[in-house]
């Protein structure tokens, strides 16, 4: 019953997150995903183009050596070079679509930290003085927590994958896989607010376990966004902003209620 109640609170927090993000106080944060996606895509395309040209040049040179003197096979080296370029770019797009969400979470960690702080200032009225050392600490912890969640999620996913071969148990594995992903994503988004309360990592883990319903709810929306084909990375960039805001809102509300008791 507690899980369902907390899950409902987490989902409801997205309503407040939408109104805050589109308000005059936070709207400018929507510019960051646009810039980051463009930079990642352009830089990735340039790197892939450079790598593809290098590999195709090597392949063409080798093919030319092998077919030297066979005039009717001279076209093979050019085709081989073209196919290498095409395959390199295709693999890049597959990787970008599949794992770009993780890359974005790490790259946008400084934005999430700032956004979480600004959100708390708005909803609670508390103001935080600028501290460069503290900012770098929060960014470093945010990146570390994101990577920790990604690794743990991957390990659990591997276990669930093998568990899916067990008769009957395999029927619930897709649901468990979704829930595990939602939990770890929610953990990463909520930790920005939890860390500001001076929670150590162990304390943060304990807090998340005790409020698993809210954690899963915060991560559910982001996990659903990851299921959108082709444009998932772009959508997730914007949805992640809402997840950080919603996570900050529920953390602030839950800790305030705890202090009032």
């Amino acid at each position: 019953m507690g899980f369902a109640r907390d899950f409902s609170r987490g989902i409801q927090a997205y309503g407040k997150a939408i109104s805050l993000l589109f308000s005059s106080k936070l709207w400018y944060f929507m510019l960051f995903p646009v810039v980051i996606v463009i930079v990642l895509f352009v830089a990735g395309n340039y790197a892939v183009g450079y790598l593809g040209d290098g590999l195709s040049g090597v392949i063409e040179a080798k093919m030319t050596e092998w077919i030297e003197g066979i005039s009717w096979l001279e076209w093979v080296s050019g085709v081989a070079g073209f196919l290498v370029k095409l395959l390199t770019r295709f693999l890049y797009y597959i990787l970008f679509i599949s794992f770009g969400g993780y890359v974005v979470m790490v790259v946008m960690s400084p934005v999430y930290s700032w956004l979480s702080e600004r959100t708390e200032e708005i909803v609670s009225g508390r103001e935080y003085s600028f501290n460069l050392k503290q900012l770098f600490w929060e960014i470093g912890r945010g990146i570390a927590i994101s990577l920790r969640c990604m690794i743990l999620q991957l390990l659990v996913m591997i276990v669930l994958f093998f568990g899916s071969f067990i008769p009957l148990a395999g029927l619930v594995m897709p649901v468990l896989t979704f829930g595990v992903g939602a939990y770890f994503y929610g953990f990463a988004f909520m930790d920005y607010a939890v860390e500001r309360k001076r929670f150590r990592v162990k304390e943060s883990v304990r807090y998340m376990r005790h409020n698993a319903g809210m954690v899963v709810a915060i991560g559910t929306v982001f996990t659903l966004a990851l299921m959108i084909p082709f444009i998932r990375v772009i959508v997730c960039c914007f949805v992640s902003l809402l997840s950080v805001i919603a996570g900050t809102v529920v953390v602030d509300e839950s800790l305030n209620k705890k202090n009032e008791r």
Side-chain angles (χ1 to χ4, degrees):
M1 196 64 188
F3 182 92
R5 182 186 65 249
D6 288 346
F7 184 86
S8 177
R9 288 170 58 190
I11 294 298
Q12 289 173 11
Y14 271 94
K16 191 167 187 177
I18 292 173
S19 63
L20 284 172
L21 183 60
F22 287 92
S23 70
S24 59
K25 297 179 180 179
L26 295 179
W27 69 268
Y28 53 88
F29 278 94
M30 289 188 285
L31 299 176
F32 290 104
V34 177
V35 174
I36 288 174
V37 168
I38 292 174
V39 170
L40 286 176
F41 195 73
V42 171
N45 268 294
Y46 176 79
V48 168
Y50 183 81
L51 177 64
D53 289 341
L55 288 176
S56 66
V58 172
I59 295 297
E60 286 185 30
K62 289 294 182 180
M63 293 294 293
T64 300
E65 289 180 9
W66 293 340
I67 62 176
E68 186 177 4
I70 308 176
S71 58
W72 63 277
L73 285 179
E74 291 179 353
W75 59 273
V76 174
S77 60
V79 172
F82 172 77
L83 290 176
V84 168
K85 290 182 181 180
L86 188 64
L87 180 61
T88 303
R89 193 164 294 276
F90 175 74
L91 289 175
Y92 163 69
Y93 285 128
I94 294 298
L95 291 174
F96 188 81
I97 290 172
S98 301
F99 301 103
Y102 294 128
V103 176
V104 168
M105 285 183 69
V106 173
V107 173
M108 286 188 64
S109 183
V111 178
Y112 296 155
S113 180
W114 182 23
L115 175 60
S116 180
E117 182 177 305
R118 286 288 296 119
T119 299
E120 186 172 342
E121 289 177 350
I122 294 171
V123 299
S124 69
R126 289 186 293 271
E127 292 189 4
Y128 293 89
S129 57
F130 179 76
N131 186 317
L132 186 60
K133 183 179 179 180
Q134 179 64 23
L135 177 63
F136 281 122
W137 166 256
E138 291 176 1
I139 293 171
R141 169 160 163 160
I143 293 173
I145 288 292
S146 295
L147 293 175
R148 176 184 180 276
C149 288
M150 291 173 200
I151 293 171
L152 289 176
Q153 180 181 343
L154 178 61
L155 293 176
V156 175
M157 293 295 188
I158 292 174
V159 173
L160 292 177
F161 171 75
F162 286 107
S164 65
F165 293 100
I166 301 175
L168 297 180
L171 297 175
V172 299
M173 289 306 170
V175 177
L176 290 177
T177 300
F178 181 91
V180 167
Y183 179 83
F184 283 115
Y185 284 127
F187 189 122
F189 289 128
M190 290 174 63
D191 188 70
Y192 290 98
V194 171
E195 189 279 332
R196 209 160 34 253
K197 308 300 182 183
R198 299 296 187 269
F199 280 37
R200 296 191 297 270
V201 174
K202 287 185 178 179
E203 294 172 324
S204 179
V205 171
R206 191 179 306 117
Y207 171 83
M208 300 299 179
R209 286 176 180 170
H210 290 166
N211 298 275
M214 291 190 299
V215 179
V216 172
I218 296 301
T220 290
V221 177
F222 184 79
T223 306
L224 288 172
L226 280 173
M227 298 173 68
I228 300 174
F230 306 115
I231 58 171
R232 70 182 68 184
V233 174
I234 298 174
V235 174
C236 285
C237 282
F238 291 96
V239 172
S240 66
L241 298 179
L242 293 174
S243 298
V244 171
I245 297 173
T248 303
V249 169
V250 294
V251 168
D252 186 71
E253 290 178 350
S254 67
L255 292 180
N256 284 340
K257 287 185 178 181
K258 182 178 179 181
N259 293 332
E260 290 172 358
R261 294 174 182 174

